Amino acid sequence: MTETVLSSSTREVVIGFERPFVIIGERINPTGRSKLAEEMRNGNFDTVVSDAIAQVEAGAHMLDVNAGIPLADEPAILAEAIQLVQSVTDVPLCIDSSIVDALEAGLGVYEGKALVNSVTGEEERLESVLPLVARHGAAVVAITNDENGISEDPDERFEIARKIVERAAEHGIPKEDILIDPLVMPIGAIGSAGRQVFRLVRRLREELGVNSTCGASNISFGLPNRHGLNAAFLPMAIASGLTSAITSPLHEEVRSAIKAADVMMGNDAHCATWIAGQGDTPGAAQRGRRGGREGRRRAPA
Amino acid sequence: MTETVLSSSTREVVIGFERPFVIIGERINPTGRSKLAEEMRNGNFDTVVSDAIAQVEAGAHMLDVNAGIPLADEPAILAEAIQLVQSVTDVPLCIDSSIVDALEAGLGVYEGKALVNSVTGEEERLESVLPLVARHGAAVVAITNDENGISEDPDERFEIARKIVERAAEHGIPKEDILIDPLVMPIGAIGSAGRQVFRLVRRLREELGVNSTCGASNISFGLPNRHGLNAAFLPMAIASGLTSAITSPLHEEVRSAIKAADVMMGNDAHCATWIAGQGDTPGAAQRGRRGGREGRRRAPA
């Protein structure tokens, strides 16, 4: 079985077909959060730290850290954010940037085996990101678009995934260290977006034998009751073969759906996690958030 | 595409891969409901009628009607129940009995094209139920067990499904008029129960091209927060190819999961049903039940 191992200096997380689904917390990302962007630009990481703690307390197994702020010194900000997050939580991190220098700065300060987010099928990106991933012994998220953009045909996206896996092998990166991102489009705009993902992750699993991740919340963009949609999408993608997602752990509905999906896949032995979690169902998300705020007070200033 | 058409005298329901998922209300069944059994045995159909109305108001597209009461005159009770339910709702019915005489009595009074529940792969059952289904031009639920019981290997269950489809064809019943039941086992007892169903319904869809149904609630038998588990199981089974289920429409969580799954499968055009349903999300199930009680007062005594 294909198992992707990520680590901090003290904790290991394993992503795999026979493992509970891995939630990578999506919150530490200034895109669309202008207040957070302003804070990070000014060297204020209070929200970064509190978001980190709140997400881990709510059940995130890993955290995505993104510092994509226009006209800011992204490499320096990303490196500082990663060091701070690693000082207050022990979960492995996903170092998220479209700027290769920022990925490099993040990897330079990271303790453990990181997940790099991301490479694509674009030639320039393949040849800049893969050597970096190989040199640091990291794992990488591979997005299934290339110079031609995003195909609506999941079989074309599959061929891009295959190309990235082959190219990574040439750089000495084993397929275990690649998480393919099938690309989740908003279903309100593209009615086949769900079926595209289900078909692609099934092929990734059955034919390439690789793990996968995705920005799951994107499926419900622009629609009402997004958590209700996300809470159905994730189990459906998991049944099709998805093994992790970059999403929010802060919503009870979504967390519960993922735990139930683990039961359904036979990946929650004796349903032990499900049964143990039923004592604290109502309001658990709220408690997680409160815990996060308290946690921030304990965090280094 | 394979489309299974059921009808009452005034309403048609179509089950198919490109159609919204069909909910067959499970409540009218005295198994494990001793009060209802006692009422039905004594010719009191008040609960039958109120359960019928409440389930339809809550969103059931069809209703299962079962009168399996030990030592009672099941054919007469089932026929009366069907006539009463047809007098207060216009959804097509699923005539549910393990006794062939009761199926025959139900079909005798039914107005429209009924769903007969069920035939199995057992020789005696095949040769008694299939001629009855053919004679009445009905559709039939085919359960994937045979003289050897229930296999835990979904591929063996698939072979039973194939055998039933072939045998039905010999009786002039087209595959469009067969819903295969993959058999849902309690996942608390059999950890692979979910994967068994997902694999089998996918093969039913891809290789046999038949529609399917199942007793969905059975998956969570014996576990806490059953609605939470059912609300993940159904979308996962739908992603794998399930096109209808005999389940309870009375729980908002499960109903919402099914509607979200329709969106994800691209079977809710422009997400119109999802968007329209968001106005009445909280407490909708309660309103549905209240509606049911009022409905009973209007129903014939």
Side-chain angles (χ1 to χ4, degrees), chain A residues 1-5 12-23 61 205 211 238 241-244 258-259 261-263 265-269, chain B residues 195:
Chain A
M1 289 275 70
T2 306
E3 300 207 318
T4 305
V5 181
E12 206 172 83
V13 165
V14 182
I15 299 172
F17 302 140
E18 312 290 333
R19 298 275 188 163
F21 191 74
V22 168
I23 300 173
H61 307 99
R205 176 173 187 151
N211 283 309
I238 292 168
L242 189 73
T243 47
S244 72
I258 291 171
K259 283 186 191 167
D262 282 339
V263 171
M265 296 301 283
N267 292 338
D268 177 2
Chain B
R195 289 194 193 217

Side-chain angles (χ1 to χ4, degrees), chain A residues 11 53 66 83 85 111 152 162 240 259 262 266 289:
Chain A
R11 197 197 284 202
I53 293 169
N66 179 304
Q83 286 180 295
V85 172
E111 292 178 22
E152 286 196 26
R162 188 205 299 277
S240 305
K259 283 186 191 167
D262 282 339
R289 277 198 285 274

Side-chain angles (χ1 to χ4, degrees), chain A residues 76 115 180 199 265 280:
Chain A
L115 179 60
I180 303 289
R199 175 172 175 83
M265 296 301 283
D280 64 330

Side-chain angles (χ1 to χ4, degrees), chain A residues 158-179:
Chain A
F158 179 83
E159 292 308 324
I160 296 172
R162 188 205 299 277
K163 178 178 85 169
I164 299 174
V165 169
E166 287 169 359
R167 193 67 73 85
E170 292 170 13
H171 286 274
I173 302 167
K175 74 174 184 184
E176 288 77 8
D177 282 343
I178 304 170
L179 300 184

Side-chain angles (χ1 to χ4, degrees), chain A residues 17-19 187-188 191-195 198 202 205-206 219-220 223-226 228-233 235-240 253 256-257 259-267 270-271 274-275 278 281, chain B residues 17-19 187-188 191-195 198 202 205-206 219-220 223-226 228-233 235-240 253 256-257 259-267 270-271 274-275 278 281:
Chain A
F17 302 140
E18 312 290 333
R19 298 275 188 163
I187 201 152
S192 63
R195 288 195 194 216
F198 307 148
R202 183 173 310 153
R205 176 173 187 151
E206 291 177 357
I219 195 78
S220 59
L223 290 172
N225 189 3
R226 293 188 63 177
L229 291 168
N230 298 345
F233 171 69
M236 295 172 89
I238 292 168
S240 305
E253 208 170 344
S256 173
K259 283 186 191 167
D262 282 339
V263 171
M264 294 305 150
M265 296 301 283
N267 292 338
H270 310 296
C271 311
W274 178 261
I275 293 167
Q278 295 311 312
T281 300
Chain B
F17 302 141
E18 314 288 333
R19 297 277 187 162
I187 201 152
S192 63
R195 289 194 193 217
F198 307 148
R202 183 172 311 153
R205 177 173 186 152
E206 292 177 357
I219 196 76
S220 59
L223 289 171
N225 188 3
R226 293 189 63 177
L229 291 168
N230 297 346
F233 172 70
M236 295 171 89
I238 291 169
S240 306
E253 207 171 344
S256 172
K259 282 186 191 166
D262 282 339
V263 171
M264 293 305 150
M265 296 302 284
N267 291 338
H270 310 295
C271 310
W274 178 260
I275 292 167
Q278 294 312 312
T281 300

Side-chain angles (χ1 to χ4, degrees), chain B residues 24-33 36-37 40-41 45 47-48 51 55 63-70 73-82 85 93-99 102-103 106 115 117-118 125 143 246:
Chain B
I24 305 170
E26 71 181 358
R27 293 282 296 158
I28 303 177
N29 190 329
T31 314
R33 297 181 70 186
L36 175 61
M40 290 173 80
R41 183 199 303 277
F45 292 88
T47 302
V48 169
D51 279 353
Q55 290 182 97
L63 296 176
D64 187 86
V65 181
N66 179 303
I69 303 156
D73 183 357
E74 187 171 330
I77 298 175
L78 185 59
E80 186 166 359
I82 283 166
V85 172
L93 303 186
C94 178
I95 302 174
D96 182 1
S97 179
S98 56
I99 295 173
L103 295 177
L115 179 60
N117 187 4
S118 57
R125 194 85 184 159
I143 302 186
I246 302 172

Side-chain angles (χ1 to χ4, degrees), chain A residues 110-184:
Chain A
Y110 186 79
E111 292 178 22
K113 179 178 172 187
L115 179 60
V116 171
N117 187 4
S118 58
V119 71
T120 68
E122 295 162 291
E123 199 56 38
E124 176 272 335
R125 195 85 185 161
L126 287 166
E127 288 310 312
S128 57
V129 175
L130 292 180
L132 188 62
V133 169
R135 196 161 68 244
H136 286 271
V140 65
V141 175
I143 301 186
T144 50
N145 71 304
D146 64 10
E147 285 83 357
N148 300 317
I150 299 171
S151 170
E152 286 196 26
D153 179 349
D155 295 335
E156 288 184 11
R157 303 219 291 262
F158 179 83
E159 292 308 324
I160 296 172
R162 188 205 299 277
K163 178 178 85 169
I164 299 174
V165 169
E166 287 169 359
R167 193 67 73 85
E170 292 170 13
H171 286 274
I173 302 167
K175 74 174 184 184
E176 288 77 8
D177 282 343
I178 304 170
L179 300 184
I180 303 289
D181 183 336
L183 274 168
V184 174

